[in-house]
Amino acid sequence: MKGKRLLMIPGPIEFTDEVLGEMSKPTLSHVDPQFIEEFGQALERMRAVWLAPHGQPFAIAGSGTLAMEFAVANITEPDDNVLIVHTGYFSDRMAEIFRLHGANVDIVPGAVGDLPEVEAVRAQLEAKKYKTLSITHVDTSTGVRADVKHLAAAARETGTLTVVDGVCAVAGEELRMEEWGVDIALTASQKAVGVPPGLALLVANEKALDAFKARRTSVRAYYCDWQYWLPVMQAYEARKSAYFGTPAVNLVRALNVSLGQILTEGMDFRFRRHTLNARAFRAGLSAIGLKYVPVREDLYANTLTAAYYPEGVDAGVLPRIAEEGVVLAGGLYPSIKTKYFRIGHMGMSDTSEILATLGAIERGLAKSGYAFDAGAAVAAAQSLYKKS
Ligand SMILES: *Cc1c(COP(=O)(O)O)cnc(C)c1O
């Protein structure tokens, strides 16, 4: 990997040559017929990737945090009751955004590396009337994955909307938006969707749009207001132009290419590949004695791994691993920030990237003075791949 470092963080990720090539094309007018066609196609493809054949897709310039506010601002009115499934840093952020938009926020607590049981969430939904349940599909701060399917079912049974922050999940973790009754699922381009940072992506179903239409008060965020964006998205899908804010033309074109690649692979295959890569990666780290932030196996995310540094090693190992050609991320959750690191393995990540990453981690740990069986991590992953 001469001069090139593998970017294995939980976003931005490694992008395909086709996506990067698309980014480098001369920028078209946002009303150019070719761009209109490509934006329209990208919106149709979002529906297929989200597995939401009747959903309304939105793609606007911004990061994942804007996507979160884009959801919250449109379905929240002052004094709405909102329930948050606590998972970590990003569920805390969601709570803050809901509060800012006037909601009364209750949180079902979970310990670090854990999240509340579905039954505890269901009990709270039954005890009090909530307008919205907020779930972080994969909390990127802890590598904990929520059981969206059963949480969304509990919300549906109590007449509560479900919003899923899927920023580290959509197009990597299994999400069947329509089948599971998820009302809004959002993400950002730079994670498993596989496009450089800069697009906030969201799909809303009819129930979410109805909640928006039934508002008694105006949306408290000008740029986020669906009243302006809905006609724009509908126009592009009808292969017409419309304007509210200039679309991020190059990013939208790259999104269309990436979504095309995702659908060529197929969603079921893609979910399985993410699961296999994550298992192989963990088999590797476990073989050299590393432990994970999520407290139980059924909580392990497939898009990233959060692992504690082994005895005697600290964040100083990360630049050593980078010297070996692989860039990883440090901790994020405040109470354990200095004790763990995070590795993203989503998007087009393949066997060779997983093995290269494990190899670089081994070499970095060895340089940090950690004693282990050299080659054991790579061998364990290899053997898991061989069995699958
Ligand atoms: C990355 C991430 C975000 C924030 O996205 P930005 O693009 O950094 O604003 C929100 N939620 C989750 C789960 C994330 O992984």
Side-chain angles (χ1 to χ4, degrees):
M1 289 188 283
K2 253 187 244 130
K4 179 171 177 350
R5 283 181 175 174
L6 210 47
L7 190 55
M8 300 296 281
I9 66 173
I13 63 166
E14 286 289 320
F15 304 117
T16 66
D17 292 344
E18 293 76 12
V19 165
L20 293 175
E22 195 66 24
M23 289 291 298
S24 73
K25 290 183 178 170
T27 303
L28 294 174
S29 158
H30 58 289
V31 297
D32 187 300
Q34 189 181 341
F35 178 68
I36 292 172
E37 173 58 32
E38 289 170 359
F39 198 170
Q41 190 170 52
L43 293 168
E44 288 163 1
R45 287 175 171 172
M46 278 177 69
R47 226 179 249 117
V49 168
W50 269 245
L51 296 168
H54 300 91
Q56 172 60 52
F58 295 85
I60 65 173
S63 82
T65 306
L66 181 81
M68 294 160 84
E69 189 154 22
F70 198 34
V72 172
N74 285 286
I75 57 159
T76 309
E77 294 192 79
D79 290 326
D80 281 349
N81 292 333
V82 172
L83 189 63
I84 307 262
V85 179
H86 185 266
T87 46
Y89 183 92
F90 287 106
S91 70
D92 290 346
R93 177 173 290 187
M94 205 59 168
E96 224 174 300
I97 299 172
F98 271 111
R99 281 192 206 102
L100 185 73
H101 286 273
N104 304 315
V105 172
D106 288 341
I107 296 174
V108 196
V112 177
D114 203 349
L115 45 68
E117 298 281 344
V118 173
E119 286 319 307
V121 175
R122 184 193 300 275
Q124 188 58 34
L125 287 168
E126 282 166 358
K128 181 170 164 183
K129 179 70 190 158
Y130 289 96
K131 181 173 182 183
T132 306
L133 175 71
S134 173
I135 308 166
T136 307
H137 195 164
V138 169
D139 202 306
T140 320
S141 67
T142 53
V144 164
R145 178 170 45 95
D147 180 354
V148 170
K149 181 180 178 177
H150 292 104
L151 288 167
R156 205 169 53 240
E157 284 159 26
T158 52
T160 306
L161 292 171
T162 302
V163 174
V164 173
D165 171 356
V167 180
C168 202
V170 170
E173 298 287 358
E174 181 177 14
L175 171 71
R176 301 181 186 278
M177 184 171 168
E178 193 158 307
E179 191 186 316
W180 294 357
V182 169
D183 300 297
I184 295 179
L186 60 96
T187 189
S189 51
Q190 78 273 19
K191 306 224 180 165
V193 166
V195 177
L199 287 178
L201 307 170
L202 181 154
V203 176
N205 72 4
E206 204 175 334
K207 259 165 69 188
L209 291 172
D210 285 347
F212 166 72
K213 287 173 194 153
R215 293 181 68 95
R216 290 159 284 113
T217 60
S218 54
V219 172
R220 291 185 180 182
Y222 185 75
Y223 181 72
C224 281
D225 196 333
W226 285 353
Q227 90 171 295
Y228 303 123
W229 288 115
L230 195 54
V232 173
M233 300 302 146
Q234 287 168 340
Y236 275 98
E237 260 205 277
R239 304 305 192 263
K240 294 183 200 130
S241 72
Y243 170 75
F244 172 57
T246 308
V249 172
N250 295 57
L251 283 166
V252 168
R253 299 183 74 191
L255 174 70
N256 189 38
V257 169
S258 190
L259 294 175
Q261 291 182 324
I262 291 168
L263 292 170
T264 299
E265 181 177 25
M267 297 317 294
D268 288 329
F269 188 89
R270 191 170 174 92
F271 298 147
R272 281 202 301 277
R273 178 171 57 76
H274 277 77
T275 306
L276 175 62
N277 282 337
R279 284 178 54 218
F281 189 73
R282 290 193 304 265
L285 290 191
S286 297
I288 54 172
L290 270 63
K291 302 270 182 277
Y292 307 104
V293 175
V295 296
R296 285 191 317 279
E297 214 164 298
D298 62 307
L299 301 175
Y300 295 158
N302 296 305
T303 47
L304 89 150
T305 296
Y308 287 107
Y309 298 118
E311 194 66 35
V313 175
D314 63 17
V317 71
L318 297 180
R320 296 191 177 113
I321 296 170
E323 276 166 26
E324 299 299 327
V326 179
V327 178
L328 305 181
L332 182 63
Y333 197 65
S335 62
I336 53 169
K337 196 175 159 65
T338 58
K339 297 193 171 83
Y340 75 109
F341 65 118
R342 297 172 302 145
I343 308 94
H345 32 73
M346 61 187 124
M348 286 299 178
S349 278
D350 56 12
T351 310
S352 61
E353 279 182 8
I354 296 291
L355 296 175
T357 303
L358 287 170
I361 291 173
E362 283 199 13
R363 291 178 56 82
L365 286 172
K367 282 195 282 180
S368 297
Y370 179 59
F372 63 97
D373 227 355
V378 175
Q382 289 275 30
S383 107
L384 192 135
Y385 278 124
K386 206 166 142 194
K387 274 186 256 159
S388 68

